[in-house]
């Protein structure tokens, strides 16, 4: 029994050490001094998001950044998403909307939507965020400042997860828990090894040059985990991909019931394990 307890204790100690270091090291998004000079494009893919889209866009359209646009792509929604976007456009002149084109062969839906949004954007900074997020008014400014001050090609943020039901509380924290326990962020921020790539797809900001240099969503068109794959692409292009604590700027409620939580969790976890069913079941 003692021979089994020893390696378990070593493993637990390593996990605890990584978690502690990540907690102490992870930088927080801040606004810095002065206002960023880069024009900002905030890009939102949306499909059947009538429950979230008004709250999300209203928060994005209240940014304190001096020069920004918000573009939302309605990706064939069957609910009231398009109607809600149309009403918001009457109030907010810096809101633009586009209708998604049919999905080409070999593409995942979200990646295709984001690629179209990038093509429509006019900004020097591209901030991709999900339709179920809600932002503080300094969210965009923080993204620009982090890119400018760090010189990174990609800045991403771990957002605050809102959880109201037991299934959400059981499943939603797992992905962030896994990243905090097993991904040593100090190494991920300075090393260019692909396995040390961390990002959160709910909040990802690129300079236009870095997005173009890494191939953007076209380079990961068939991947489920767009965030970690984009971080790998940025590193392969010779740039850094940094993960920040964005919990003061952005919140998200990913799922609202057990069915949604189980479906989303199993899809993402399956991709984490390289689509290998034996590891996924384990």
């Amino acid at each position: 029994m003692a021979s089994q307890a020893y390696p378990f204790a070593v493993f637990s100690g390593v996990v605890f050490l990584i978690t502690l270091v990540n907690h102490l090291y992870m930088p927080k998004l801040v606004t810095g001094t002065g206002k960023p000079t880069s024009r900002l494009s905030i890009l939102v893919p949306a499909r059947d998001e009538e429950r979230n889209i008004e709250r999300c866009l209203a928060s994005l359209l209240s940014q304190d950044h001096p020069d920004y646009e918000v573009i939302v792509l309605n990706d064939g929604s069957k609910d009231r998403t398009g109607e809600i976007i149309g009403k918001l456009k009457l109030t907010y002149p810096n809101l633009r909307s586009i209708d998604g084109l049919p999905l080409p062969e070999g593409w995942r839906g979200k990646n295709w939507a984001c690629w179209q949004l990038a093509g429509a954007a006019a900004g020097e900074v591209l901030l991709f965020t999900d339709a179920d997020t809600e932002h503080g008014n300094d969210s965009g400014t923080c993204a620009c400042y982090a890119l400018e001050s760090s010189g990174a090609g990609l800045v991403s943020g771990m957002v605050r997860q809102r959880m109201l039901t037991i299934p959400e509380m059981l499943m939603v924290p797992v992905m962030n828990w896994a990243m905090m326990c097993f991904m040593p962020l100090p190494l991920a921020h300075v090393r260019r090894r692909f396995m040390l790539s961390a990002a959160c797809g709910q909040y990802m900001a690129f300079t236009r040059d870095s997005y173009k240099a890494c191939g953007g969503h076209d380079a990961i068109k068939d991947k489920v985990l767009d965030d970690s794959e984009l971080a790998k692409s940025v590193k392969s292009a010779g740039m850094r991909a940094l993960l920040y604590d964005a919990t003061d700027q952005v919140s998200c409620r990913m799922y609202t019931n057990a069915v949604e939580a189980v479906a989303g969790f199993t899809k993402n976890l399956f991709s984490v394990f390289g689509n290998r069913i034996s590891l996924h079941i384990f």
Side-chain angles (χ1 to χ4, degrees), residues 134-227:
E134 186 172 359
H135 297 249
N137 64 358
D138 61 345
S139 174
T141 298
C142 286
C144 292
Y145 178 76
L147 284 169
E148 291 177 4
S149 61
S150 68
L154 164 63
V155 162
S156 180
M158 291 183 68
V159 311
R160 179 167 55 86
Q161 303 294 340
R162 301 195 307 271
M163 298 163 284
L164 303 180
T165 66
I166 291 177
E168 293 174 85
M169 295 176 189
L170 288 173
M171 296 185 182
V172 170
V174 170
M175 301 305 291
N176 286 352
W177 167 83
M179 187 180 297
M180 291 297 291
C181 291
F182 299 107
M183 176 65 67
L185 290 179
L187 291 179
H189 282 187
V190 299
R191 299 296 297 273
R192 292 180 180 173
R193 293 179 62 88
F194 289 166
M195 64 179 296
L196 296 173
S197 298
C200 175
Q202 296 163 332
Y203 184 92
M204 303 185 73
F206 302 79
T207 64
R208 177 176 289 278
D209 288 343
S210 66
Y211 186 79
K212 181 179 179 180
C214 76
H217 287 84
D218 183 48
I220 55 119
K221 63 178 68 174
D222 60 342
K223 305 298 184 182
V224 175
L225 296 179
D226 59 313
D227 43 18

Side-chain angles (χ1 to χ4, degrees), residues 222-235:
D222 60 342
K223 305 298 184 182
V224 175
L225 296 179
D226 59 313
D227 43 18
S228 61
E229 295 296 333
L230 282 166
K232 292 176 184 178
S233 296
V234 166
K235 287 190 172 186

Side-chain angles (χ1 to χ4, degrees), residues 250-271:
V250 191
S251 65
C252 174
R253 190 177 183 197
M254 296 176 65
Y255 313 117
T256 59
N257 55 57
V259 174
E260 291 179 1
V262 170
F265 176 77
T266 52
K267 178 190 72 173
N268 289 322
L269 194 60
F270 191 49
S271 298

